[in-house]
Amino acid sequence: MSAPARTASLLPLLDALCDFVAQVFWGAVGLELALAVVTFLALRLITAPYGRHARPGWGPALPARWGWTVMELPALLGFVALFAAGRHRSEPVPLLLGALWLVHYGQRSLVFPARLAASARPVPLLVIALGMAFNALNAPINAYWVAEAARYPAAGYRDPRLVLGVLLFLAGLAINWHADGVLLRLRRAGAYGVPHGGLFRWVSCPNYLGEMLEWWGWALAAWSPAGAAFALYTMANLIPRAAAHQRWYRERFPDYPPARRALLPRRG
Ligand code: NDP
C-alpha cells in the first residue's frame, strides 16, 4: 500500500518543505558528519573567537544576548516547521521527542541569552552565521526523522532505547543547566573566576559534558541517524573548546585545582 499523501499540515509550504527534506535527508546527514570532521580539525587549530576567547580581527559582532538568540532561533523554528509538517506529529513518541527538543532550544535561544551578563562579550557575526547555518541544517532533519520518517509503534514509549535515551537526555540537561547557572552567576558578579560546585569538582566544563550527554540521549531515544550525526557534531565542536578552556584556566589561575580535568573526571 502506498503512503498516504501528506497534505495534512497547516500550510502547503510546510508540505513542500517536508518533501524537500525527504529528498535530501541522507545527503544532509552525510554533510553533517563531514562538517563534524572539518569542525573538529579546524577547532584544534583555531579556538572559536567568542566568550573568553574573543579577540580582535574577526569582524563585526552583535551584543551577546542578541547574538545567541539570533544564532539559536533556527534550531527552534526549523524544528517546529518540519515537525508540524510530519504525518506522525500527533503520536506520543514524536510528541515526547519534540517536547525534549523544544525544552532545550526554548531555554537556549530565549532564556539563556536573557541571563547573560550585561558585560558579556559581543559575538562575531561570522560565528553567528556559522551557528545559524548549522542549526538550519540540523533542526529540520531531526524533526523530519521523528515526525515523518521514523515509524515508532504506539507503545514505543516502553522501548528500552527510548527510556534510557530520555533518562540520559534529562541527566545531561540537568548537568548543563546547573553548570551554565554557576558560570552565569560568576560572570554577572564581575570578572572571570574559578567555578565550584556540582561536577565542577571534577571537570572544568560540565556544561559541555551535559550537552553531549543530552544529544547522545536524544539520538538513542529517537533511534535516529540525524540525531547521531548531531551528537557527533556536538562532540566535534565542544571537545576542542573544552581543551581550550582548560588551558585558559590553568594559565589564568595558578592555583586552579590540579586534579580537575577538562571534560571527563579522572578515573580512580
Ligand atoms: P562557556 O562555558 O564558555 O560560557 C558560558 C557562560 O558562562 C558565558 O556567559 C561565559 O562568559 C560565562 N563563563 C564561563 N566561564 C566562566 C568563568 N570561569 N567565570 C565567569 N564566567 C564564566 O560556554 P559557551 O558560551 O561556549 O556555551 C554556552 C552554552 O551553549 C553551553 O551550555 C554549551 O553547552 C552550549 N553550546 C552548545 C554547542 C553545541 O554544539 N551543541 C556549541 C556551543 C555551545 P563569556 O561568554 O563572557 O566568556
mmCIF file of all heavy atoms in Angstrom, residues 6 8-19 21 73-87 89 98 101-102 135-136 139-148:
data_model
loop_
_atom_site.group_PDB
_atom_site.id
_atom_site.type_symbol
_atom_site.label_atom_id
_atom_site.label_comp_id
_atom_site.label_asym_id
_atom_site.label_seq_id
_atom_site.Cartn_x
_atom_site.Cartn_y
_atom_site.Cartn_z
ATOM 1 N N ARG A 6 0.668 13.423 1.911
ATOM 2 C CA ARG A 6 0.819 14.250 3.094
ATOM 3 C C ARG A 6 0.345 15.664 2.794
ATOM 4 O O ARG A 6 1.079 16.498 2.292
ATOM 5 C CB ARG A 6 2.272 14.274 3.544
ATOM 6 C CG ARG A 6 2.481 14.897 4.901
ATOM 7 C CD ARG A 6 3.885 14.703 5.374
ATOM 8 N NE ARG A 6 4.787 14.734 4.245
ATOM 9 C CZ ARG A 6 4.998 15.830 3.557
ATOM 10 N NH1 ARG A 6 4.401 16.931 3.865
ATOM 11 N NH2 ARG A 6 5.827 15.801 2.547
ATOM 12 N N ALA A 8 -1.682 17.083 5.237
ATOM 13 C CA ALA A 8 -2.402 17.392 6.475
ATOM 14 C C ALA A 8 -1.798 18.533 7.269
ATOM 15 O O ALA A 8 -2.323 18.925 8.293
ATOM 16 C CB ALA A 8 -2.451 16.151 7.352
ATOM 17 N N SER A 9 -0.671 19.077 6.846
ATOM 18 C CA SER A 9 -0.079 20.125 7.664
ATOM 19 C C SER A 9 -0.840 21.437 7.462
ATOM 20 O O SER A 9 -1.665 21.571 6.566
ATOM 21 C CB SER A 9 1.403 20.307 7.336
ATOM 22 O OG SER A 9 1.524 20.886 6.084
ATOM 23 N N LEU A 10 -0.500 22.384 8.319
ATOM 24 C CA LEU A 10 -1.286 23.611 8.328
ATOM 25 C C LEU A 10 -1.082 24.422 7.056
ATOM 26 O O LEU A 10 -1.993 25.074 6.574
ATOM 27 C CB LEU A 10 -0.886 24.449 9.552
ATOM 28 C CG LEU A 10 -1.070 23.731 10.880
ATOM 29 C CD1 LEU A 10 -0.562 24.578 12.028
ATOM 30 C CD2 LEU A 10 -2.549 23.408 11.084
ATOM 31 N N LEU A 11 0.105 24.366 6.487
ATOM 32 C CA LEU A 11 0.406 25.203 5.322
ATOM 33 C C LEU A 11 0.985 24.341 4.204
ATOM 34 O O LEU A 11 1.854 23.507 4.467
ATOM 35 C CB LEU A 11 1.454 26.253 5.714
ATOM 36 C CG LEU A 11 1.041 27.275 6.758
ATOM 37 C CD1 LEU A 11 2.240 28.079 7.206
ATOM 38 C CD2 LEU A 11 -0.017 28.200 6.173
ATOM 39 N N PRO A 12 0.543 24.548 2.962
ATOM 40 C CA PRO A 12 1.124 23.789 1.840
ATOM 41 C C PRO A 12 2.636 23.967 1.761
ATOM 42 O O PRO A 12 3.359 23.054 1.382
ATOM 43 C CB PRO A 12 0.436 24.390 0.612
ATOM 44 C CG PRO A 12 -0.776 25.081 1.132
ATOM 45 C CD PRO A 12 -0.522 25.447 2.544
ATOM 46 N N LEU A 13 3.101 25.141 2.173
ATOM 47 C CA LEU A 13 4.543 25.397 2.134
ATOM 48 C C LEU A 13 5.300 24.374 2.996
ATOM 49 O O LEU A 13 6.380 23.904 2.636
ATOM 50 C CB LEU A 13 4.815 26.817 2.631
ATOM 51 C CG LEU A 13 6.285 27.217 2.691
ATOM 52 C CD1 LEU A 13 6.873 27.258 1.291
ATOM 53 C CD2 LEU A 13 6.443 28.571 3.369
ATOM 54 N N LEU A 14 4.704 24.019 4.133
ATOM 55 C CA LEU A 14 5.363 23.063 5.023
ATOM 56 C C LEU A 14 5.408 21.678 4.382
ATOM 57 O O LEU A 14 6.375 20.944 4.543
ATOM 58 C CB LEU A 14 4.639 22.997 6.373
ATOM 59 C CG LEU A 14 4.697 24.270 7.221
ATOM 60 C CD1 LEU A 14 4.046 24.033 8.570
ATOM 61 C CD2 LEU A 14 6.133 24.737 7.409
ATOM 62 N N ASP A 15 4.358 21.327 3.655
ATOM 63 C CA ASP A 15 4.365 20.049 2.935
ATOM 64 C C ASP A 15 5.505 20.022 1.917
ATOM 65 O O ASP A 15 6.226 19.036 1.793
ATOM 66 C CB ASP A 15 3.026 19.827 2.224
ATOM 67 C CG ASP A 15 1.927 19.471 3.208
ATOM 68 O OD1 ASP A 15 2.231 18.792 4.202
ATOM 69 O OD2 ASP A 15 0.779 19.885 2.989
ATOM 70 N N ALA A 16 5.638 21.121 1.200
ATOM 71 C CA ALA A 16 6.696 21.196 0.179
ATOM 72 C C ALA A 16 8.067 21.093 0.841
ATOM 73 O O ALA A 16 8.971 20.404 0.350
ATOM 74 C CB ALA A 16 6.572 22.501 -0.595
ATOM 75 N N LEU A 17 8.206 21.753 1.993
ATOM 76 C CA LEU A 17 9.480 21.725 2.727
ATOM 77 C C LEU A 17 9.797 20.297 3.177
ATOM 78 O O LEU A 17 10.933 19.820 3.071
ATOM 79 C CB LEU A 17 9.347 22.652 3.934
ATOM 80 C CG LEU A 17 10.606 23.229 4.537
ATOM 81 C CD1 LEU A 17 11.371 24.027 3.501
ATOM 82 C CD2 LEU A 17 10.234 24.129 5.725
ATOM 83 N N CYS A 18 8.752 19.627 3.647
ATOM 84 C CA CYS A 18 8.927 18.261 4.135
ATOM 85 C C CYS A 18 9.334 17.330 2.976
ATOM 86 O O CYS A 18 10.227 16.491 3.127
ATOM 87 C CB CYS A 18 7.641 17.793 4.794
ATOM 88 S SG CYS A 18 7.853 16.337 5.802
ATOM 89 N N ASP A 19 8.716 17.510 1.830
ATOM 90 C CA ASP A 19 9.083 16.709 0.655
ATOM 91 C C ASP A 19 10.540 16.961 0.275
ATOM 92 O O ASP A 19 11.280 16.045 -0.085
ATOM 93 C CB ASP A 19 8.177 17.050 -0.538
ATOM 94 C CG ASP A 19 6.772 16.497 -0.336
ATOM 95 O OD1 ASP A 19 6.613 15.552 0.471
ATOM 96 O OD2 ASP A 19 5.825 17.025 -0.960
ATOM 97 N N VAL A 21 12.980 17.962 2.303
ATOM 98 C CA VAL A 21 13.878 17.333 3.285
ATOM 99 C C VAL A 21 13.926 15.816 3.055
ATOM 100 O O VAL A 21 14.984 15.191 3.183
ATOM 101 C CB VAL A 21 13.453 17.684 4.735
ATOM 102 C CG1 VAL A 21 14.270 16.903 5.754
ATOM 103 C CG2 VAL A 21 13.613 19.175 4.979
ATOM 104 N N LEU A 73 17.821 30.598 17.266
ATOM 105 C CA LEU A 73 16.399 30.526 16.869
ATOM 106 C C LEU A 73 16.118 29.552 15.709
ATOM 107 O O LEU A 73 15.085 28.865 15.727
ATOM 108 C CB LEU A 73 15.870 31.916 16.528
ATOM 109 C CG LEU A 73 15.128 32.639 17.656
ATOM 110 C CD1 LEU A 73 14.550 33.954 17.139
ATOM 111 C CD2 LEU A 73 14.022 31.787 18.285
ATOM 112 N N PRO A 74 16.994 29.455 14.700
ATOM 113 C CA PRO A 74 16.714 28.478 13.634
ATOM 114 C C PRO A 74 16.583 27.047 14.150
ATOM 115 O O PRO A 74 15.878 26.230 13.546
ATOM 116 C CB PRO A 74 17.918 28.611 12.694
ATOM 117 C CG PRO A 74 18.451 29.979 12.946
ATOM 118 C CD PRO A 74 18.182 30.262 14.396
ATOM 119 N N ALA A 75 17.231 26.754 15.278
ATOM 120 C CA ALA A 75 17.117 25.400 15.841
ATOM 121 C C ALA A 75 15.719 25.166 16.407
ATOM 122 O O ALA A 75 15.224 24.043 16.445
ATOM 123 C CB ALA A 75 18.164 25.185 16.927
ATOM 124 N N LEU A 76 15.100 26.250 16.858
ATOM 125 C CA LEU A 76 13.739 26.152 17.398
ATOM 126 C C LEU A 76 12.720 26.196 16.252
ATOM 127 O O LEU A 76 11.869 25.298 16.109
ATOM 128 C CB LEU A 76 13.528 27.342 18.335
ATOM 129 C CG LEU A 76 12.373 27.339 19.316
ATOM 130 C CD1 LEU A 76 12.486 26.151 20.252
ATOM 131 C CD2 LEU A 76 12.397 28.632 20.140
ATOM 132 N N LEU A 77 12.844 27.196 15.402
ATOM 133 C CA LEU A 77 11.838 27.409 14.346
ATOM 134 C C LEU A 77 11.924 26.330 13.266
ATOM 135 O O LEU A 77 10.898 25.847 12.771
ATOM 136 C CB LEU A 77 12.021 28.802 13.727
ATOM 137 C CG LEU A 77 11.922 29.964 14.731
ATOM 138 C CD1 LEU A 77 12.087 31.304 14.027
ATOM 139 C CD2 LEU A 77 10.588 29.918 15.482
ATOM 140 N N GLY A 78 13.143 25.953 12.896
ATOM 141 C CA GLY A 78 13.309 24.919 11.868
ATOM 142 C C GLY A 78 12.742 23.591 12.324
ATOM 143 O O GLY A 78 12.169 22.826 11.533
ATOM 144 N N PHE A 79 12.884 23.309 13.615
ATOM 145 C CA PHE A 79 12.336 22.060 14.141
ATOM 146 C C PHE A 79 10.809 22.110 14.135
ATOM 147 O O PHE A 79 10.141 21.188 13.662
ATOM 148 C CB PHE A 79 12.857 21.818 15.562
ATOM 149 C CG PHE A 79 12.544 20.443 16.088
ATOM 150 C CD1 PHE A 79 13.450 19.404 15.923
ATOM 151 C CD2 PHE A 79 11.339 20.174 16.732
ATOM 152 C CE1 PHE A 79 13.166 18.125 16.390
ATOM 153 C CE2 PHE A 79 11.042 18.908 17.191
ATOM 154 C CZ PHE A 79 11.960 17.875 17.026
ATOM 155 N N VAL A 80 10.252 23.206 14.633
ATOM 156 C CA VAL A 80 8.786 23.322 14.717
ATOM 157 C C VAL A 80 8.165 23.217 13.323
ATOM 158 O O VAL A 80 7.160 22.527 13.116
ATOM 159 C CB VAL A 80 8.394 24.662 15.393
ATOM 160 C CG1 VAL A 80 6.899 24.919 15.266
ATOM 161 C CG2 VAL A 80 8.787 24.630 16.864
ATOM 162 N N ALA A 81 8.782 23.872 12.332
ATOM 163 C CA ALA A 81 8.214 23.881 10.980
ATOM 164 C C ALA A 81 8.124 22.459 10.421
ATOM 165 O O ALA A 81 7.079 22.036 9.920
ATOM 166 C CB ALA A 81 9.063 24.761 10.070
ATOM 167 N N LEU A 82 9.238 21.713 10.511
ATOM 168 C CA LEU A 82 9.225 20.364 9.936
ATOM 169 C C LEU A 82 8.394 19.410 10.779
ATOM 170 O O LEU A 82 7.740 18.515 10.246
ATOM 171 C CB LEU A 82 10.666 19.853 9.806
ATOM 172 C CG LEU A 82 11.282 20.065 8.433
ATOM 173 C CD1 LEU A 82 10.632 19.142 7.409
ATOM 174 C CD2 LEU A 82 11.147 21.505 7.942
ATOM 175 N N PHE A 83 8.401 19.620 12.082
ATOM 176 C CA PHE A 83 7.591 18.759 12.952
ATOM 177 C C PHE A 83 6.111 18.927 12.603
ATOM 178 O O PHE A 83 5.363 17.952 12.502
ATOM 179 C CB PHE A 83 7.852 19.109 14.423
ATOM 180 C CG PHE A 83 7.345 18.072 15.383
ATOM 181 C CD1 PHE A 83 8.169 17.031 15.787
ATOM 182 C CD2 PHE A 83 6.042 18.121 15.864
ATOM 183 C CE1 PHE A 83 7.702 16.057 16.655
ATOM 184 C CE2 PHE A 83 5.568 17.148 16.732
ATOM 185 C CZ PHE A 83 6.394 16.115 17.129
ATOM 186 N N ALA A 84 5.706 20.179 12.396
ATOM 187 C CA ALA A 84 4.293 20.454 12.090
ATOM 188 C C ALA A 84 3.875 19.830 10.768
ATOM 189 O O ALA A 84 2.690 19.567 10.547
ATOM 190 C CB ALA A 84 4.065 21.967 12.051
ATOM 191 N N ALA A 85 4.839 19.600 9.875
ATOM 192 C CA ALA A 85 4.515 19.018 8.572
ATOM 193 C C ALA A 85 4.509 17.491 8.610
ATOM 194 O O ALA A 85 4.050 16.858 7.658
ATOM 195 C CB ALA A 85 5.519 19.495 7.529
ATOM 196 N N GLY A 86 5.031 16.898 9.683
ATOM 197 C CA GLY A 86 5.177 15.437 9.725
ATOM 198 C C GLY A 86 3.838 14.731 9.927
ATOM 199 O O GLY A 86 3.008 15.178 10.718
ATOM 200 N N ARG A 87 3.697 13.614 9.223
ATOM 201 C CA ARG A 87 2.445 12.837 9.338
ATOM 202 C C ARG A 87 2.232 12.271 10.739
ATOM 203 O O ARG A 87 1.123 12.024 11.162
ATOM 204 C CB ARG A 87 2.503 11.655 8.364
ATOM 205 C CG ARG A 87 1.806 11.887 7.064
ATOM 206 C CD ARG A 87 1.764 10.592 6.305
ATOM 207 N NE ARG A 87 3.098 10.157 5.935
ATOM 208 C CZ ARG A 87 3.545 10.108 4.676
ATOM 209 N NH1 ARG A 87 2.758 10.443 3.698
ATOM 210 N NH2 ARG A 87 4.766 9.710 4.412
ATOM 211 N N ARG A 89 3.083 13.619 13.650
ATOM 212 C CA ARG A 89 3.321 14.666 14.656
ATOM 213 C C ARG A 89 2.427 14.554 15.882
ATOM 214 O O ARG A 89 2.767 15.076 16.938
ATOM 215 C CB ARG A 89 3.154 16.056 14.029
ATOM 216 C CG ARG A 89 1.752 16.345 13.549
ATOM 217 C CD ARG A 89 1.639 17.722 12.934
ATOM 218 N NE ARG A 89 0.291 17.991 12.477
ATOM 219 C CZ ARG A 89 -0.166 17.677 11.268
ATOM 220 N NH1 ARG A 89 0.647 17.097 10.396
ATOM 221 N NH2 ARG A 89 -1.402 17.930 10.934
ATOM 222 N N GLY A 98 9.821 15.642 20.471
ATOM 223 C CA GLY A 98 9.708 17.056 20.107
ATOM 224 C C GLY A 98 9.707 17.945 21.336
ATOM 225 O O GLY A 98 10.331 19.012 21.343
ATOM 226 N N TRP A 101 13.218 18.419 22.635
ATOM 227 C CA TRP A 101 13.963 19.363 21.778
ATOM 228 C C TRP A 101 13.561 20.799 22.106
ATOM 229 O O TRP A 101 14.408 21.693 22.252
ATOM 230 C CB TRP A 101 13.672 19.048 20.312
ATOM 231 C CG TRP A 101 14.489 19.836 19.333
ATOM 232 C CD1 TRP A 101 14.301 21.142 18.961
ATOM 233 C CD2 TRP A 101 15.641 19.384 18.608
ATOM 234 N NE1 TRP A 101 15.250 21.526 18.041
ATOM 235 C CE2 TRP A 101 16.087 20.463 17.803
ATOM 236 C CE3 TRP A 101 16.331 18.169 18.548
ATOM 237 C CZ2 TRP A 101 17.192 20.365 16.958
ATOM 238 C CZ3 TRP A 101 17.428 18.078 17.698
ATOM 239 C CH2 TRP A 101 17.848 19.156 16.923
ATOM 240 N N LEU A 102 12.252 21.014 22.222
ATOM 241 C CA LEU A 102 11.771 22.384 22.469
ATOM 242 C C LEU A 102 12.191 22.893 23.838
ATOM 243 O O LEU A 102 12.499 24.085 23.991
ATOM 244 C CB LEU A 102 10.246 22.448 22.339
ATOM 245 C CG LEU A 102 9.681 22.202 20.941
ATOM 246 C CD1 LEU A 102 8.206 22.599 20.890
ATOM 247 C CD2 LEU A 102 10.450 22.970 19.869
ATOM 248 N N ASN A 135 22.408 25.178 12.472
ATOM 249 C CA ASN A 135 21.090 24.918 13.064
ATOM 250 C C ASN A 135 20.013 24.758 11.999
ATOM 251 O O ASN A 135 19.090 23.947 12.135
ATOM 252 C CB ASN A 135 20.711 26.048 14.028
ATOM 253 C CG ASN A 135 21.488 25.967 15.327
ATOM 254 O OD1 ASN A 135 21.844 24.881 15.778
ATOM 255 N ND2 ASN A 135 21.779 27.106 15.935
ATOM 256 N N ALA A 136 20.135 25.531 10.913
ATOM 257 C CA ALA A 136 19.136 25.462 9.838
ATOM 258 C C ALA A 136 19.239 24.139 9.073
ATOM 259 O O ALA A 136 18.280 23.714 8.425
ATOM 260 C CB ALA A 136 19.309 26.638 8.887
ATOM 261 N N ALA A 139 18.246 21.146 12.582
ATOM 262 C CA ALA A 139 16.920 21.046 13.209
ATOM 263 C C ALA A 139 15.883 20.415 12.270
ATOM 264 O O ALA A 139 15.150 19.504 12.682
ATOM 265 C CB ALA A 139 16.467 22.425 13.696
ATOM 266 N N PRO A 140 15.802 20.839 11.002
ATOM 267 C CA PRO A 140 14.782 20.239 10.133
ATOM 268 C C PRO A 140 14.986 18.735 9.924
ATOM 269 O O PRO A 140 14.006 17.983 9.918
ATOM 270 C CB PRO A 140 14.945 21.001 8.808
ATOM 271 C CG PRO A 140 15.545 22.302 9.202
ATOM 272 C CD PRO A 140 16.450 21.998 10.352
ATOM 273 N N ILE A 141 16.228 18.293 9.777
ATOM 274 C CA ILE A 141 16.394 16.847 9.510
ATOM 275 C C ILE A 141 16.041 16.034 10.759
ATOM 276 O O ILE A 141 15.530 14.927 10.657
ATOM 277 C CB ILE A 141 17.791 16.477 8.946
ATOM 278 C CG1 ILE A 141 18.916 16.850 9.889
ATOM 279 C CG2 ILE A 141 17.984 17.079 7.567
ATOM 280 C CD1 ILE A 141 20.286 16.333 9.423
ATOM 281 N N ASN A 142 16.304 16.604 11.927
ATOM 282 C CA ASN A 142 15.932 15.879 13.144
ATOM 283 C C ASN A 142 14.423 15.840 13.340
ATOM 284 O O ASN A 142 13.865 14.815 13.736
ATOM 285 C CB ASN A 142 16.656 16.481 14.352
ATOM 286 C CG ASN A 142 18.031 15.863 14.517
ATOM 287 O OD1 ASN A 142 18.146 14.704 14.926
ATOM 288 N ND2 ASN A 142 19.069 16.608 14.154
ATOM 289 N N ALA A 143 13.746 16.953 13.049
ATOM 290 C CA ALA A 143 12.284 16.965 13.162
ATOM 291 C C ALA A 143 11.664 16.043 12.117
ATOM 292 O O ALA A 143 10.708 15.298 12.402
ATOM 293 C CB ALA A 143 11.757 18.388 12.980
ATOM 294 N N TYR A 144 12.216 16.072 10.915
ATOM 295 C CA TYR A 144 11.699 15.220 9.833
ATOM 296 C C TYR A 144 11.774 13.750 10.246
ATOM 297 O O TYR A 144 10.824 12.986 10.042
ATOM 298 C CB TYR A 144 12.510 15.466 8.553
ATOM 299 C CG TYR A 144 12.302 14.408 7.509
ATOM 300 C CD1 TYR A 144 11.174 14.435 6.692
ATOM 301 C CD2 TYR A 144 13.217 13.364 7.354
ATOM 302 C CE1 TYR A 144 10.963 13.433 5.745
ATOM 303 C CE2 TYR A 144 13.019 12.369 6.425
ATOM 304 C CZ TYR A 144 11.890 12.409 5.613
ATOM 305 O OH TYR A 144 11.679 11.420 4.696
ATOM 306 N N TRP A 145 12.915 13.373 10.852
ATOM 307 C CA TRP A 145 13.056 11.961 11.207
ATOM 308 C C TRP A 145 11.983 11.536 12.212
ATOM 309 O O TRP A 145 11.309 10.529 12.029
ATOM 310 C CB TRP A 145 14.455 11.671 11.764
ATOM 311 C CG TRP A 145 14.611 10.219 12.086
ATOM 312 C CD1 TRP A 145 14.417 9.607 13.288
ATOM 313 C CD2 TRP A 145 14.923 9.164 11.162
ATOM 314 N NE1 TRP A 145 14.602 8.256 13.186
ATOM 315 C CE2 TRP A 145 14.909 7.955 11.874
ATOM 316 C CE3 TRP A 145 15.216 9.138 9.792
ATOM 317 C CZ2 TRP A 145 15.177 6.730 11.287
ATOM 318 C CZ3 TRP A 145 15.486 7.918 9.201
ATOM 319 C CH2 TRP A 145 15.458 6.731 9.947
ATOM 320 N N VAL A 146 11.815 12.313 13.270
ATOM 321 C CA VAL A 146 10.907 11.841 14.325
ATOM 322 C C VAL A 146 9.427 11.996 13.952
ATOM 323 O O VAL A 146 8.606 11.177 14.341
ATOM 324 C CB VAL A 146 11.166 12.512 15.706
ATOM 325 C CG1 VAL A 146 12.558 12.198 16.220
ATOM 326 C CG2 VAL A 146 10.948 14.006 15.690
ATOM 327 N N ALA A 147 9.080 13.028 13.194
ATOM 328 C CA ALA A 147 7.655 13.279 12.932
ATOM 329 C C ALA A 147 7.181 12.729 11.594
ATOM 330 O O ALA A 147 5.977 12.694 11.344
ATOM 331 C CB ALA A 147 7.375 14.786 12.995
ATOM 332 N N GLU A 148 8.128 12.307 10.740
ATOM 333 C CA GLU A 148 7.717 11.856 9.412
ATOM 334 C C GLU A 148 8.331 10.494 9.029
ATOM 335 O O GLU A 148 7.615 9.578 8.647
ATOM 336 C CB GLU A 148 8.113 12.927 8.372
ATOM 337 C CG GLU A 148 7.890 12.542 6.932
ATOM 338 C CD GLU A 148 6.424 12.528 6.508
ATOM 339 O OE1 GLU A 148 5.581 13.044 7.262
ATOM 340 O OE2 GLU A 148 6.137 11.975 5.431
#
